Amino acid sequence: MVPFYRIAALLAEKPTGMEIAVNGWVRTRRDAKGGFSFLEINDGSGLANLQVIADEALPNYHDEVLRITTGCAVRITGVAVPSPAKGQEIELKASRIAVEGWADPLVYPLQKKRHSYEFLRTIAHLRPRTNSLGAVTRIRGSLSFAVHQFFHQRGFIQVHTPIITTSDCEGAGEMFTATSLDLDRLPTTGGKTDFGQDFFGRRAGLTVSGQLEAEAYALAMGNVYTFGPTFRAENSNTSRHLAEFWMIEPEMAFCDLAGDIDLAEAFIKHLVRHVVENCAEDFALFGRFVDTTLPDRLHRILAGPFPRISYTVAVAELHKSGRDFAFPVQWGADLQSEHERYLCEEVFDGPLVVTDYPKTIKPFYMRANDDGKTVAAMDILLPGIGEIVGGSQREERLDLLGERMTAQGLDLDEYGWYLDLRRYGSAQHSGFGLGFERIIQFVTGMGNIRDVIPFPRTPGSASG
Ligand code: ATP
Ligand code: MN
């Protein structure tokens, strides 16, 4: 049996002088004068292609090899030899080339030229065959491993929180409904849809956050985290919002807001360091072709502690700026993305932690501060991205939590299980959510969040 190699391993190991096999897709074919052709093969294992020399002595050279075009799937056997060409150490001298799948060049949409990301979005099923989307895909996969590595190294237990839930964590009503009712013949009661007849006997939806369930597990297991898909039916057609995205949510018992920020900062640094150290080839592509300031920006994340300021100080900074923002700056109003970007891109020129937001703009579960006006919340902002992390110390006091929920119009009976966590063995606890796609945007410099997830779901678009 001829040993099989993935191209990345082959280029690293360079097993010259022996026969080996590779599979992949042809990026280009070039015919030389002396009766042979060069094929550039990529198999997804890395950015670099393998150069294959196809000699006319191959039995199918004239019938098949000369008809090979960009996109064809091939299985190749050959001997790796040192390459005389610049930029590659070895090439493969083919003894056998089998074309497994043709790709008609008259209709195959991915030709050798550079395509725009907008165009590639219209062929989401083919775009992983390009250099940039291939590199994003490898970085995404590697970062997913780094997420689990980070928490396992620290003794956190992963919990799988439900995707179908009945609790709207943010209380914002931006949930997708999950129903099995016949939409053409909805049962009604009092003029409204009767969800009592639906699958779960009540209205259910796709989760907007696993936090509330993670809290239940943190108050039993100590430190837990979730990493799963999250759904928001918000109509934000921006370069930083998806209707379906992946979120990492750690939750820690016996931990206050400062400890929560410490963990989030260490986590962001771990992910950035992972990409710089373990995804060097793909990372270099983005530094060269997508954003030349990227390497410097990432190294600055690792350089020192993230500055921490309160919301009140942030508002004062914005007032001091004298800028004419589209959204007026006012204590009590939420920071808009223009404000967040001004603070971290122009004032601090790097990552920034903002804490202690007004309680009126934050959800019920955040812990009330002694000033009566603010809650123990924190957001982490990154240059070019804005909010990457949103977190808080949770309200562990039953009476105060009940008051907040009532004030926000929530039905206490619905959240009986959540209140139980404060009735029995309540403890200080904190957590946060980090958007996986946003950190991928940050480490790749990709401008649009639709290009860092395989099949993006956004308002008006869920195909492929
Ligand atoms: P934003 O203000 O940016 O809309 P948010 O305050 O609604 O975000 P959280 O509910 O705090 O977000 O969610 C935690 C994290 O999840 C955010 O910090 C962000 O990184 C990520 N995130 C939130 N909404 C989206 C979305 N629609 N698409 C992708 N990532 C998101
Ligand atoms: Mn937030």
Side-chain angles (χ1 to χ4, degrees), residues 127-144:
R127 65 181 183 164
R129 301 180 185 195
T130 63
N131 280 343
S132 51
L133 268 290
V136 165
T137 305
R138 281 184 296 272
I139 287 179
R140 185 180 172 114
S142 191
L143 264 182
S144 172

Side-chain angles (χ1 to χ4, degrees), residues 39-69:
L39 301 175
E40 293 283 333
I41 311 293
N42 191 282
D43 66 357
S45 60
L47 197 59
N49 297 330
L50 174 67
Q51 175 156 291
V52 174
I53 318 291
D55 191 274
E56 68 178 344
L58 290 169
N60 61 344
Y61 184 78
H62 292 283
D63 287 353
E64 291 193 319
V65 174
L66 286 181
R67 283 170 48 225
I68 286 176
T69 52

Side-chain angles (χ1 to χ4, degrees), residues 53-379:
I53 318 291
D55 191 274
E56 68 178 344
L58 290 169
N60 61 344
Y61 184 78
H62 292 283
D63 287 353
E64 291 193 319
V65 174
L66 286 181
R67 283 170 48 225
I68 286 176
T69 52
T70 301
C72 287
V74 289
R75 291 179 191 253
I76 302 178
T77 308
V79 177
V81 294
S83 173
K86 262 210 355 223
Q88 59 187 19
E89 290 181 63
I90 60 164
E91 56 191 27
L92 195 71
K93 217 174 159 323
S95 50
R96 180 173 176 271
I97 297 179
V99 182
E100 181 134 335
W102 296 93
D104 182 349
L106 294 178
V107 285
Y108 183 57
L110 278 180
Q111 293 307 323
K112 175 69 185 152
K113 65 177 183 131
R114 244 189 111 131
H115 298 284
S116 72
Y117 293 124
E118 288 76 14
F119 169 71
L120 291 175
R121 259 170 246 150
T122 68
I123 47 165
H125 59 300
L126 296 174
R127 65 181 183 164
R129 301 180 185 195
T130 63
N131 280 343
S132 51
L133 268 290
V136 165
T137 305
R138 281 184 296 272
I139 287 179
R140 185 180 172 114
S142 191
L143 264 182
S144 172
F145 168 75
V147 167
H148 294 295
Q149 185 190 43
F150 176 85
F151 288 112
H152 282 259
Q153 278 170 355
R154 284 165 179 73
F156 282 62
I157 295 160
Q158 186 189 9
V159 296
H160 296 108
T161 50
I163 287 170
I164 298 176
T165 76
T166 53
S167 52
D168 178 346
C169 177
E170 306 294 325
E174 286 166 346
M175 258 214 258
F176 286 102
T177 299
T179 180
S180 61
L181 291 174
D182 179 349
L183 297 182
D184 294 322
R185 256 174 298 156
L186 287 175
T188 57
T189 165
K192 289 192 161 176
T193 302
D194 181 10
F195 284 101
Q197 297 186 42
D198 201 350
F199 191 90
F200 300 105
R202 53 182 297 186
R203 186 171 191 157
L206 301 182
T207 184
V208 297
S209 162
Q211 179 202 316
L212 302 190
E213 293 90 351
E215 282 185 56
Y217 271 72
L219 291 170
M221 319 300 294
N223 293 341
V224 300
Y225 73 103
T226 71
F227 183 6
T230 309
F231 307 86
R232 306 239 172 130
E234 56 192 1
N235 202 0
S236 338
N237 239 321
T238 77
S239 58
R240 300 177 309 118
H241 288 89
L242 291 164
E244 176 181 294
F245 64 99
W246 288 64
M247 186 151 62
I248 297 122
E249 295 180 276
E251 192 71 36
M252 293 171 285
F254 307 105
C255 176
D256 64 6
L257 188 70
D260 197 36
I261 300 172
D262 290 343
L263 184 82
E265 181 173 335
F267 184 41
I268 291 170
K269 286 178 172 166
H270 174 84
L271 297 179
V272 167
R273 197 177 301 114
H274 177 87
V275 171
V276 173
E277 290 176 2
N278 299 282
C279 308
E281 186 189 43
D282 289 319
F283 176 60
L285 173 90
F286 294 105
R288 226 170 346 166
F289 295 113
V290 175
D291 180 356
T292 51
T293 66
L294 185 66
D296 179 56
R297 193 138 37 87
L298 296 203
H299 283 110
R300 266 189 294 135
I301 291 289
L302 303 175
F306 294 2
R308 303 178 184 191
I309 62 170
S310 70
Y311 165 89
T312 302
V313 169
V315 166
E317 280 290 345
L318 292 166
H319 279 307
K320 228 169 54 188
S321 76
R323 285 281 175 111
D324 200 13
F325 294 109
F327 291 88
V329 179
Q330 196 190 343
W331 200 99
D334 209 355
L335 298 181
Q336 299 295 323
S337 92
E338 56 172 341
H339 307 137
E340 297 177 343
R341 295 190 65 159
Y342 172 79
L343 288 169
C344 79
E345 287 164 27
E346 303 196 36
V347 181
F348 288 88
D349 192 24
L352 177 64
V353 187
V354 181
T355 64
D356 304 295
Y357 285 74
K359 70 174 180 191
T360 47
I361 57 171
K362 288 294 183 186
F364 65 90
Y365 51 73
M366 295 190 178
R367 189 178 195 277
N369 285 329
D370 291 343
D371 64 10
K373 293 185 301 196
T374 61
V375 288
M378 63 101 166
D379 276 5

Side-chain angles (χ1 to χ4, degrees), residues 19-41:
E19 182 146 84
I20 56 148
V22 296
N23 301 330
W25 291 267
V26 175
R27 284 291 174 81
T28 57
R29 190 196 88 225
R30 198 157 49 79
D31 303 321
K33 288 216 184 66
F36 60 98
S37 304
F38 296 105
L39 301 175
E40 293 283 333
I41 311 293

